[in-house]
Amino acid sequence: MFEDARQFKEAFVDKLQTMQGVALEQATNLDKYMALGGVIRDYIYKNWVETNNHYRKKESKQVYYFSLEFLLGRQLRSNLLNANLSVVEEALQELNIDLSKVEEMEPDAGLGNGGLGRLAACFLDSLASLQLPGHGCGIRYKYGHFEQKIVNGYQVELPDNWLKEGNVWEVRRGDKAVMVKFGGQVRLEEIDGKLVPIHENYDPVLAVPYDTPVVGFKNNTINTLRLWNAESGIKEFDFPSFNHGDYMKAVQYKYETEAISQVLYPDDSHQEGQVLRLKQEYFLVSAGVQSILRSYKKGNKSIRELPEQVVIHLNDTHPVLAIPELMRILMDEEGFGWDEAWEITQNTMSYTNHTTLAEALEKWPVDIFKELLPRIYMIVEEINKRFCRELWERYPGQWDRIAQMAIIADGFVKMAHLAIVGSYSVNGVARIHTEILKKQEMKNFYKYYPQKFNNKTNGITHRRWLLQANPKLADLITNSIGTSWIKHPEDLKELRFYAQDASFKEELQKIKRENKEQLAQLIQEQNQVQVEVDSIFDVQIKRLHAYKRQLLNALHILHLYNKLREAPQMEFVPRTFIFGAKAAPSYYHAKWVIKLINSIADKVNNDKSIQGKLKVVFLENYRVSLAEKIIPAADVSEQISTASKEASGTGNMKLMMNGAITIGTLDGANIEILEQVGSENIFTFGLTEQQVIEYYAHGGYNSWEIYHQDEQVRAILDQLVNGFLGDGSKEFKTIYNYLLHNNDEYFVLKDFASYANAQQELERAYRDQNRWREMSAINIANSGGFSSDRTISEYATGIWKVEPLEILGRSR
Ligand code: 26V
């Protein structure tokens, strides 16, 4: 199929007619996108069938990655790349169609908040590309992460109706629907001498799977991302039989049921006791576990062998109810006793922790939990009882320790505790993060289960984030060191010899400049701000959160601006600060920081006295497809979280891989980046993790002291409240109070001087362009270890015990 461009063109024109009902001449870009997607999908589906047959036949162990979030972004270009359809671009050109225009028609699949969801998407890509039998299991939210508009400098949220034109990649599998039960009562009835739980008066919800193919890189493997849709199951023809009252009830029921998969919670840090969120979590895992067992039982293996055949990976605590759900099915439906069911369950589940922020650790009020999931609550209670008994035997009399480790305590179900107790592996996402888990956050659990804890430093798919997002750089790399890095990203190491090569560096610089030109154009179109292409493009793109300290960056910009205003002729390398960030809709502090950045932008960008040397740009609606445009154009990568707070970070890896130089704290994966590139090729600053933890434990920091001692800090803080930034109203009082009256929880002022110093050093380094390019090359050369292929290989051998499986494929 598609041996040449001609064959593809025929299929494409045909698809335009059969799918969209238009001729090529009349087709809009949307028509073209749909038809192109349709042709590619047909092509991919063949190997999908093949892959599934092969998995069935071989009875190979399967991984199911359970996650409330999958932040896929767009799929057209990555499917083209991975399915090896290189003729397509050429064929479209012959038809006078610009692929990049067509591509813009695809809405991002924004089914995630940030790092955790994007990691899940990178992992799917690596699983398939490494020919590992691994599948995603999630929710098909009707509305993805909100669309952000900036109005007068403020964030405004709009619904993201990403499915409105349909979704060419997915297929609905109505025949594979399962039922999920909420509420009702459970009573125990004695049947044949055994106590059997009978669940009555529950609300049934139909879970309907929509499958999306996940295409491996040029290898015929097509794995599956299964997303569940919540439906009432009430058929339209049932309606006439309802009398008036029932009719209203039926409509209401339909509405309430469908609400379960209606919208992604747009928060990545703050847990609220929302029943709907708990419903979503149980809905996903119940549907997921039921469907896994259903297909497992079609094979020849016994359920006792489940742990050798299946691993369910829990992406944070959100899908942790998979543990009691599997227990329920094994006991209530398959007739296992507790001990055997527990052994199977514990050996089937593995869990990743993604944060130590206390406010993000999930816990559910017992009364809400019990009412919504009565049978699951009984099981969790029993898990807790048995676990506490074990603890009592090991630590007799140590009530405090046992209370601290209990799964149910103080009226809450603690999901991280359930996760650790119910799975055989617990991992953190960067070395420092895992160490913090072991010595602080989960200290007692580590002492009790040392063998469960392990580290898996995060990674990113170099296919999307380099090969696809930065094709010119990818070509330069291939022309220099050959193609092996594409399959073996560690081979990027070979580039280190080119760090001294003048012509390589010249090319590198040329490519960066071209990418910057493109981004400058986008900034002009979107923000009507003209930026200097030869200025330093200094980028901070990530969720807006106090611990990530966009505020530190913003205050430092204000500081640079003050210096420039005082001495416009001072030595200064022009800089463009670029931000992209969404704030959780109810996170007021974060929203004020957005407003602050935009107010600084207004002031700075319009001040002629500084001769355009400083520009500030906040790009609205940060998302995967926007990241793909910003990252290749970045010179500087801002990774400035308060040490100990950023579990890993993955943007840091994407930017490094595209040749940006990191300015960062010793936090998350920054530490491993530092190790890879050496201290001459990164700018680090700020408090260490130990110092931060010491301050939190014993106090000793007073932000007012810095205000009083540091004249420059005082100047910028006063500018927040003296009308300098706006219409004379004192609108940034909340930020001022946060930093001073609330003592600056994340040490922004404490790290300010050290950050400003590092920035000065960075500027000095940039002046030596030859040296800067060398640094850039060294960063790219050492980024291969941050490919998610490395991460996934480690999961496969260290946790999942799964092996690659060759798929022969039908198409070739
Ligand atoms: C928490 C919550 C709390 C309840 C409401 C909905 C919600 C949604 C997501 C989260 C998870 C927050 C944890 C998280 O996103 N961690 C990030 O994980 C990245 C991948 O491991 C890592 O690189 C980042 O450093 C880490 O912040």
Side-chain angles (χ1 to χ4, degrees):
M1 205 179 175
F2 311 142
E3 291 305 321
D4 56 33
R6 188 188 53 79
Q7 272 180 356
F8 168 79
K9 280 192 284 189
E10 273 176 27
F12 174 68
V13 173
D14 191 58
K15 204 54 158 193
L16 269 175
Q17 293 173 12
T18 56
M19 189 174 166
Q20 299 300 104
V22 287
L24 178 60
E25 296 69 34
Q26 278 79 48
T28 62
N29 277 334
L30 180 63
D31 290 325
K32 291 172 192 162
Y33 162 69
M34 297 298 278
L36 182 55
V39 175
I40 298 167
R41 175 190 61 198
D42 294 351
Y43 179 78
I44 291 169
Y45 275 16
K46 297 216 165 95
N47 277 338
W48 201 9
V49 173
E50 198 71 2
T51 304
N52 285 328
N53 283 340
H54 203 69
Y55 287 164
R56 246 192 310 272
K57 218 167 61 212
K58 289 274 170 195
E59 300 202 313
S60 55
K61 186 173 187 182
Q62 306 284 309
V63 179
Y64 297 94
Y65 196 83
F66 276 34
S67 178
L68 270 280
E69 305 189 8
F70 287 94
L71 198 40
L72 301 174
R74 290 179 176 150
Q75 296 170 81
L76 177 64
R77 179 89 61 172
S78 66
N79 283 345
L80 273 178
L81 177 75
N82 287 6
N84 201 12
L85 289 169
S86 49
V87 292
V88 167
E89 193 157 3
E90 177 196 329
L92 289 177
Q93 265 164 20
E94 287 171 22
L95 293 173
N96 244 329
I97 297 172
D98 181 351
L99 178 57
S100 60
K101 292 235 168 67
V102 175
E103 195 180 12
E104 289 297 317
M105 294 295 109
E106 178 172 6
D108 276 40
L111 310 183
N113 275 289
L116 168 141
R118 182 55 230 175
L119 186 77
C122 284
F123 278 6
L124 291 182
D125 184 73
S126 284
L127 278 163
S129 296
L130 295 173
Q131 304 211 283
L132 291 163
H135 314 279
C137 183
I139 293 179
R140 181 179 179 270
Y141 301 105
K142 182 164 179 204
Y143 296 95
H145 203 227
F146 66 83
E147 185 186 335
Q148 178 194 54
K149 289 260 178 245
I150 300 297
V151 179
N152 288 331
Y154 293 99
Q155 167 176 298
V156 173
E157 303 93 25
L158 300 176
D160 163 42
N161 192 1
W162 72 293
L163 290 168
K164 67 175 179 294
E165 306 289 348
N167 174 359
V168 283
W169 307 112
E170 69 184 6
V171 52
R172 176 184 167 97
R173 305 225 186 266
D175 54 336
K176 292 198 159 68
V178 299
M179 207 231 281
V180 180
K181 301 174 183 175
F182 291 100
Q185 297 87 35
V186 177
R187 62 183 172 80
L188 295 173
E189 197 175 288
E190 202 179 312
I191 303 178
D192 299 335
K194 261 175 87 175
L195 278 181
V196 178
I198 311 284
H199 195 170
E200 294 166 320
N201 303 321
Y202 54 79
D203 295 325
V205 174
L206 201 65
V208 181
Y210 284 70
D211 288 352
T212 298
V214 180
V215 183
F217 183 69
K218 301 184 182 175
N219 64 9
N220 299 323
T221 295
I222 315 282
N223 288 334
T224 301
L225 168 60
R226 173 160 286 183
L227 299 177
W228 295 93
N229 196 46
E231 300 179 10
S232 72
I234 300 174
K235 306 209 173 57
E236 315 301 331
F237 61 74
D238 286 343
F239 274 64
S241 64
F242 287 111
N243 66 34
H244 180 69
D246 284 348
Y247 172 77
M248 294 304 286
K249 254 200 222 146
V251 173
Q252 192 186 351
Y253 183 62
K254 189 169 154 69
Y255 176 82
E256 281 170 9
T257 325
E258 286 166 6
I260 294 174
S261 58
Q262 204 72 353
V263 60
L264 167 84
Y265 273 84
D267 200 333
D268 67 346
S269 57
H270 189 73
Q271 218 244 289
E272 279 178 89
Q274 299 258 17
V275 187
L276 186 60
R277 170 80 185 180
L278 186 59
K279 268 192 189 170
Q280 289 185 333
E281 294 185 353
Y282 182 65
F283 171 74
L284 161 64
V285 303
S286 178
V289 175
Q290 287 186 61
S291 99
I292 290 169
L293 281 181
R294 186 147 86 183
S295 79
Y296 181 76
K297 284 167 68 177
K298 289 192 187 135
N300 301 315
K301 307 261 167 148
S302 89
I303 290 188
R304 289 197 173 79
E305 290 172 83
L306 194 70
E308 285 80 59
Q309 294 297 308
V310 166
V311 48
I312 295 180
H313 195 86
L314 309 173
N315 195 26
D316 217 300
T317 56
H318 320 146
V320 155
L321 294 178
I323 293 167
E325 175 65 3
L326 180 56
M327 286 296 285
R328 181 189 72 76
I329 297 175
L330 293 178
M331 296 189 301
D332 300 358
E333 292 176 14
E334 303 296 334
F336 284 89
W338 182 279
D339 291 338
E340 209 172 0
W342 183 239
E343 194 183 325
I344 295 172
T345 300
Q346 255 191 335
N347 289 323
T348 302
M349 303 285 169
S350 50
Y351 155 66
T352 300
N353 171 283
H354 293 268
T355 183
T356 55
L357 291 184
E359 62 271 30
L361 291 182
E362 283 191 301
K363 51 182 192 175
W364 292 104
V366 163
D367 46 351
I368 292 184
F369 195 118
K370 211 188 228 168
E371 192 177 317
L372 187 68
L373 307 167
R375 178 61 186 140
I376 294 300
Y377 185 74
M378 289 165 79
I379 294 169
V380 173
E381 226 176 6
E382 186 63 25
I383 296 174
N384 181 49
K385 217 160 79 188
R386 289 170 184 244
F387 177 58
C388 289
R389 206 179 293 146
E390 257 178 61
L391 290 176
W392 176 254
E393 275 164 30
R394 170 84 175 264
Y395 307 115
Q398 297 186 35
W399 287 111
D400 278 356
R401 181 195 286 250
I402 295 169
Q404 244 185 48
M405 294 175 76
I407 296 167
I408 305 176
D410 317 320
F412 288 96
V413 179
K414 301 186 173 170
M415 303 291 264
H417 297 192
L418 180 57
I420 301 170
V421 175
S423 45
Y424 67 90
S425 168
V426 177
N427 75 281
V429 291
R431 203 175 59 223
I432 183 186
H433 169 61
T434 303
E435 289 308 311
I436 292 174
L437 290 179
K438 293 201 290 195
K439 68 171 197 255
Q440 306 265 329
E441 246 51 49
M442 297 178 169
K443 189 172 67 192
N444 287 336
F445 284 99
Y446 176 56
K447 283 189 185 144
Y448 192 66
Y449 296 125
Q451 74 292 348
K452 286 193 188 186
F453 283 75
N454 63 92
N455 176 247
K456 295 288 170 280
T457 298
N458 281 166
I460 56 163
T461 167
H462 61 288
R463 286 167 290 275
R464 179 177 289 256
W465 296 107
L466 176 50
L467 204 52
Q468 183 187 320
N470 199 345
K472 289 178 192 152
L473 178 58
D475 282 347
L476 172 63
I477 296 171
T478 297
N479 291 337
S480 309
I481 62 170
T483 55
S484 75
W485 67 275
I486 298 173
K487 283 248 162 174
H488 305 286
E490 299 274 359
D491 289 354
L492 284 172
K493 274 252 156 36
E494 298 300 314
L495 276 179
R496 66 191 185 282
F497 304 113
Y498 289 80
Q500 318 296 338
D501 180 317
S503 76
F504 176 86
K505 284 191 281 186
E506 206 175 296
E507 281 300 304
L508 185 62
Q509 139 78 9
K510 212 176 112 213
I511 290 164
K512 184 63 84 182
R513 197 172 191 287
E514 285 168 9
N515 292 338
K516 287 167 75 174
E517 268 166 7
Q518 278 188 15
L519 183 60
Q521 203 180 329
L522 182 105
I523 291 171
Q524 176 66 267
E525 282 160 21
Q526 293 206 354
N527 291 38
Q528 289 77 49
V529 175
Q530 197 187 344
V531 302
E532 173 54 60
V533 177
D534 291 312
S535 65
I536 303 175
F537 277 25
D538 184 318
V539 167
Q540 188 171 21
I541 41 176
K542 49 186 79 247
R543 280 304 289 269
L544 217 140
H545 199 292
Y547 84 80
K548 294 179 188 280
R549 300 199 296 193
Q550 282 92 349
L551 181 55
L552 176 58
N553 190 350
L555 293 180
H556 176 253
I557 297 171
L558 204 48
H559 166 68
L560 287 182
Y561 177 52
N562 288 340
K563 291 211 303 191
L564 263 181
R565 280 192 312 139
E566 252 171 53
Q569 297 314 325
M570 73 182 212
E571 258 197 81
F572 186 84
V573 182
R575 256 226 240 185
T576 302
F577 287 95
I578 297 163
F579 291 87
K582 286 179 183 174
S586 60
Y587 191 175
Y588 286 96
H589 172 78
K591 290 181 135 182
W592 275 115
V593 173
I594 292 180
K595 173 63 179 166
L596 174 64
I597 294 167
N598 284 315
S599 297
I600 295 174
D602 263 356
K603 185 94 182 174
V604 169
N605 297 347
N606 297 312
D607 184 341
K608 299 242 163 23
S609 80
I610 59 165
Q611 300 155 19
K613 289 180 181 169
L614 194 57
K615 289 280 163 74
V616 182
V617 175
F618 188 100
L619 280 167
E620 73 182 0
N621 204 27
Y622 180 60
R623 62 197 184 283
V624 174
S625 59
L626 184 56
E628 287 166 1
K629 295 172 182 145
I630 299 172
I631 290 170
D635 293 310
V636 174
S637 161
E638 298 273 351
Q639 307 300 337
I640 59 178
S641 54
T642 310
S644 81
K645 295 292 173 188
E646 189 69 273
S648 162
T650 43
N652 47 3
M653 302 168 183
K654 293 164 197 162
L655 284 154
M656 167 201 198
M657 195 176 268
N658 281 273
I661 312 300
T662 305
I663 179 164
T665 47
L666 294 173
D667 199 18
N670 297 351
I671 295 176
E672 286 154 85
I673 292 178
L674 162 66
E675 270 171 22
Q676 287 298 313
V677 301
S679 57
E680 334 74 76
N681 299 302
I682 184 170
F683 299 93
T684 58
F685 71 95
L687 293 173
T688 62
E689 161 245 348
Q690 289 95 332
Q691 289 170 323
V692 169
I693 288 173
E694 180 68 23
Y695 275 125
Y696 281 131
H698 302 113
Y701 171 50
N702 179 355
S703 58
W704 278 111
E705 277 173 20
I706 298 181
Y707 176 87
H708 290 303
Q709 282 158 16
D710 187 330
E711 210 178 300
Q712 291 172 332
V713 166
R714 191 161 60 246
I716 49 183
L717 287 189
D718 289 347
Q719 283 168 336
L720 296 180
V721 289
N722 66 11
F724 179 79
L725 289 169
D727 51 9
S729 65
K730 299 182 175 173
E731 49 187 1
F732 298 110
K733 191 85 188 164
T734 52
I735 293 180
Y736 179 89
N737 287 344
Y738 164 85
L739 288 171
L740 293 170
H741 295 288
N742 288 341
N743 203 30
D744 182 15
E745 189 183 352
Y746 292 105
F747 302 97
V748 171
L749 302 186
K750 183 79 187 163
D751 274 349
F752 186 85
S754 157
Y755 178 57
N757 259 333
Q759 285 286 15
Q760 257 179 1
E761 247 181 79
L762 183 152
E763 185 188 312
R764 217 173 301 130
Y766 192 84
R767 282 206 197 102
D768 182 351
Q769 276 288 292
N770 187 44
R771 170 76 192 110
W772 186 270
R773 285 170 214 161
E774 184 181 325
M775 291 171 76
S776 179
I778 291 172
N779 269 270
I780 301 166
N782 290 292
S783 67
F786 297 107
S787 164
S788 45
D789 288 5
R790 188 267 313 147
T791 315
I792 284 297
S793 306
E794 290 177 7
Y795 274 90
T797 48
I799 301 179
W800 300 331
K801 319 288 180 205
V802 287
E803 284 180 356
L805 209 73
E806 183 101 18
I807 308 290
L808 290 176
R810 268 196 193 166
S811 51
R812 270 163 283 249

